[in-house]
Amino acid sequence: MGRNLQAGGTRDRLLAAAAQVFASKGFRRATVREIVAAAGVNLNAVNYHFRDKQGLYHAVLEAGHKNVQEDDDLAVARDPGADPQARLHAFVMALLTRALSAEHRPHQARIMMLEMAEPTGALDVVVERHIRPRFELLVEIIAGIIPGPPDRQTLALCAESVVGQCVHLVHARPILSRILPFLTYSRADIERLAGHVTRFSLSALRNMCANGGGAA
Amino acid sequence: MGRNLQAGGTRDRLLAAAAQVFASKGFRRATVREIVAAAGVNLNAVNYHFRDKQGLYHAVLEAGHKNVQEDDDLAVARDPGADPQARLHAFVMALLTRALSAEHRPHQARIMMLEMAEPTGALDVVVERHIRPRFELLVEIIAGIIPGPPDRQTLALCAESVVGQCVHLVHARPILSRILPFLTYSRADIERLAGHVTRFSLSALRNMCANGGGAA
Amino acid sequence: MGRNLQAGGTRDRLLAAAAQVFASKGFRRATVREIVAAAGVNLNAVNYHFRDKQGLYHAVLEAGHKNVQEDDDLAVARDPGADPQARLHAFVMALLTRALSAEHRPHQARIMMLEMAEPTGALDVVVERHIRPRFELLVEIIAGIIPGPPDRQTLALCAESVVGQCVHLVHARPILSRILPFLTYSRADIERLAGHVTRFSLSALRNMCANGGGAA
Amino acid sequence: MGRNLQAGGTRDRLLAAAAQVFASKGFRRATVREIVAAAGVNLNAVNYHFRDKQGLYHAVLEAGHKNVQEDDDLAVARDPGADPQARLHAFVMALLTRALSAEHRPHQARIMMLEMAEPTGALDVVVERHIRPRFELLVEIIAGIIPGPPDRQTLALCAESVVGQCVHLVHARPILSRILPFLTYSRADIERLAGHVTRFSLSALRNMCANGGGAA
DNA sequence: AATGAATGAGCCTTCATTCAT
DNA sequence: GATGAATGAAGGCTCATTCAT
């Protein structure tokens, strides 16, 4: 008795549902049954299309995210001719928006966090396809801001300082909501946070070389 | 039949083993069987001493971390008379050392990360007992660095910018190891990272007000 | 590996075995493992077909008993045109036969007894679907026997006096076997018991009104 | 640290608590831990005083009930000179009161019911010490009511017809509460029920011989 | 492609009991 | 007599997977 009355192919519906469930529960806690129920497909569809649960997970990671070059949010950040500090702000804003705003369903971001907490072996593909390209873009932006010679290692650490501030705001959300009562993670809050991170980082970057080498 | 041939009390051995296992696998993935095996005690020891798996988990969180006031690593950071930038460096160093160095068994840090990824309801106690005190200390330190009037909200965001850099280095370790090949998380690396975070943050903090208000 | 070598459907075999085991041990003492062993099916068949142990139990209660309207044993008792005392005898005989005779597997009766001793929450459905219809039938029969105006409350109590005699013979069987050595619960015994209950009740009912009101 | 501050001996407190718990949950569902908690004694007291759970159970049954000869409720029923129908009423009233009224804590009655539902092997002692004596008393009373020659077998069946009506009112209480909404098992209800059972039985007994032999 | 059925591994928990002071 | 600790046996349940249409 075909219950699969919906239009879209089983495979796609499965991918979409899986992205949702994996993002909200992580690989382990997510159950195949919940996914197929959400997708409205038969239990064995995952077996048939993706071999097993892990296969489905990998497929989600592979297909889930747009390439950096195609990411509209990063348009300004990618523009070599734009003002470096505008590029930085665009980058930060894109990162936070994508991870925090409700409209952009923070699937990929959460999956990545969960993946770091409990690696399932799928980290490699995520790093190479999603993280590294963005990292390189950020390094390039920072190189345009930081004064003096572009020491690769310093650039990298500064880039991670920027990224760290952002992802912390995402990952530690349940904690920050307790510690910083004024934070509601509204759209306005996101912009305020992006503004802070950009300001903080710009201030730091512009003075890095002066302090270079000498510890605190 | 060897009834607890080992030395120490069953309860303590259980706590230690549980901290280890919970830290490496999280609450969910960790199995009672693995914990008791690691502790070398009977399966039901957890039942007897902690009622159930969750009771053991809470006990680990309660007993696991030293109070801020007793934390020797934070001695300099707590000293109101010390140089603010020395205090900041001490704070950062303590955070990274405790979370990253092998000697300090990074249990609590990882458990906290996992707790954020998959909350089990034990987050409240962790926040109030461990996180908030350290946060307040950091705010106090930063207030001594940042020029101008101590706007509470700005102070808080700056504090999280500092914390974010640190925890990112911890949480994203598997990613950073791929992206930043020079990072080995050796003792020397930890010091280098602490130096960078301190420098980056100091640079930022000293110029926050100047840039204050104007977004990127 | 012999995958269900037996004939009938797993589900039915499970229901039959469960009825047996639940009847002999009650819900609590009965173990899923024993039931599936008796049914010769896999341990998780109960999970698959009935969700869990309780689901199986409910299914046994639902499916176990025929509807009053379809119960051939009660044909005479249901016939409004039949002699009232013949109807009463038929009712009593049906009750005892079903509960005591070996051929009719006294499952349902025992389960009901156990359910009263240790309610599991399944009592409601049993009452509404099995007990109340039979009770109403009995009240109707008695109304045709008892002289005078049909006081609802008296009718109900008389009905329970009849039912009580019957179920006592069933429930207290292990005790009665000790107290009344002549009782073997053979087919002949059942008929003799039915005769006694009918006679005893008829005698009582025909004289209820005369004694009405005055206590002993 | 002696927590056993109470006066009474551990053993007695244990017996009392066990009677309570066994009565409300039956042998199986009752847990040793619950009993010792209710008694306020150490877990191993049951082991020490009664060897094990079953030993405690038997002790409860042995010590729990007064001898028939000492039972004040049955004083009238035991009086050979009293009016037979008064004796019958007294017997019925004693049975129902003891089993149903809140003041008389219906421990023994419930335990007996549970014992019938799930025999634990302790039934023999209960039958010989509690049931048989009362049964013989009832037979004697009935012999004084029923007209004609005292056929032992008929007497016995009639006695069980009386007992059956009573215990049914007790055992089926959860069902009767649903079927007979007017029943609240209040003190007044108990008297009303005793009146009905007595009336019903007297009517029956006085006419048994007339109908004797002829089935319905 | 899709579906119903079946299967096996593993996990947490409860409970009575025993051991050693 | 009493107490804390330890132990072994079961039991119910969840889950991913595989089989057979």
Side-chain angles (χ1 to χ4, degrees), chain B:
Chain B
M1 231 7 129
R3 182 182 279 268
N4 199 357
L5 300 170
Q6 323 276 27
T10 296
R11 197 190 138 95
D12 293 338
R13 313 249 311 289
L14 212 36
L15 273 175
Q20 199 118 248
V21 176
F22 280 137
S24 78
K25 303 207 166 179
F27 178 75
R28 210 114 185 168
R29 282 176 61 201
T31 78
V32 171
R33 282 176 165 79
E34 181 180 7
I35 293 172
V36 297
V41 304
N42 182 272
L43 172 62
N44 286 23
V46 35
N47 170 26
Y48 179 77
H49 287 285
F50 305 98
R51 179 170 186 86
D52 59 11
K53 185 186 179 184
Q54 191 179 228
L56 174 57
Y57 185 65
H58 280 275
V60 167
L61 290 179
E62 289 273 348
H65 218 327
K66 276 183 298 202
N67 195 300
V68 179
Q69 300 300 337
E70 305 162 348
D71 194 341
D72 291 338
D73 298 358
L74 290 177
V76 174
R78 275 201 312 274
D79 179 6
D83 175 41
Q85 77 184 54
R87 293 180 73 190
L88 180 63
H89 182 262
F91 186 94
V92 169
M93 191 65 191
L95 198 56
L96 287 178
T97 301
R98 185 164 289 276
L100 289 175
S101 79
E103 307 107 61
H104 283 79
R105 298 151 291 138
H107 298 167
Q108 223 66 19
R110 248 198 77 81
I111 288 183
M112 223 167 306
M113 167 172 60
L114 292 165
E115 187 63 36
M116 283 183 319
E118 295 189 31
T120 71
L123 202 52
D124 286 302
V125 53
V126 176
V127 167
E128 296 308 321
R129 299 205 23 176
H130 304 310
I131 297 181
R132 193 185 297 278
R134 284 171 176 76
F135 170 76
E136 294 299 346
L137 175 58
L138 179 56
V139 165
E140 179 200 326
I141 295 174
I142 289 177
I145 298 174
I146 207 170
D151 170 11
R152 167 77 188 176
Q153 202 158 309
T154 301
L155 283 177
L157 289 178
C158 287
E160 294 304 340
S161 279
V162 174
V163 171
Q165 293 177 72
C166 295
V167 303
H168 178 61
L169 292 171
V170 177
H171 291 182
R173 179 169 172 169
I175 291 180
L176 297 181
S177 294
R178 287 172 169 84
I179 300 278
L180 279 45
F182 59 87
L183 259 192
T184 63
Y185 286 88
S186 64
R187 176 75 197 171
D189 265 354
I190 295 176
E191 283 177 8
R192 181 162 29 152
L193 291 172
H196 164 76
V197 171
T198 307
R199 261 193 320 278
F200 189 93
S201 302
L202 277 176
S203 301
L205 292 170
R206 286 179 182 141
N207 297 275
M208 280 305 285
C209 266
N211 297 331

Side-chain angles (χ1 to χ4, degrees), chain C residues 69-144:
Chain C
Q69 301 299 339
E70 304 163 349
D71 195 340
D72 291 339
D73 298 357
L74 289 178
V76 174
R78 275 201 312 274
D79 179 6
D83 175 40
Q85 78 183 53
R87 294 179 73 188
L88 180 63
H89 183 262
F91 186 94
V92 169
M93 191 64 190
L95 198 56
L96 287 178
T97 301
R98 184 165 289 276
L100 289 175
S101 78
E103 307 106 62
H104 282 80
R105 299 151 291 138
H107 297 167
Q108 223 66 18
R110 248 198 77 80
I111 289 183
M112 223 168 305
M113 168 172 60
L114 292 165
E115 187 62 38
M116 283 183 318
E118 296 189 32
T120 70
L123 202 52
D124 286 303
V125 54
V126 176
V127 167
E128 296 308 321
R129 299 207 21 177
H130 303 312
I131 297 182
R132 193 185 296 279
R134 285 171 176 75
F135 170 76
E136 295 297 348
L137 173 58
L138 180 55
V139 164
E140 178 200 327
I141 294 174
I142 288 178

Side-chain angles (χ1 to χ4, degrees), chain A residues 123-182:
Chain A
L123 201 53
D124 286 304
V125 54
V126 177
V127 168
E128 296 310 322
R129 299 204 26 173
H130 304 311
I131 297 181
R132 192 187 297 281
R134 283 169 178 76
F135 171 76
E136 294 298 347
L137 173 59
L138 179 57
V139 165
E140 177 199 329
I141 295 173
I142 288 177
I145 298 173
I146 207 170
D151 170 10
R152 167 76 187 176
Q153 199 159 312
T154 300
L155 282 178
L157 288 179
C158 287
E160 294 304 342
S161 280
V162 173
V163 171
Q165 293 176 72
C166 294
V167 302
H168 177 61
L169 292 171
V170 177
H171 292 183
R173 177 169 174 169
I175 290 180
L176 296 181
S177 293
R178 286 172 171 84
I179 300 277
L180 278 46
F182 60 86

Side-chain angles (χ1 to χ4, degrees), chain A residues 19-33:
Chain A
Q20 197 115 247
V21 175
F22 280 138
S24 77
K25 302 207 166 179
F27 177 74
R28 202 97 185 182
R29 280 173 62 200
T31 76
V32 173
R33 281 187 154 76

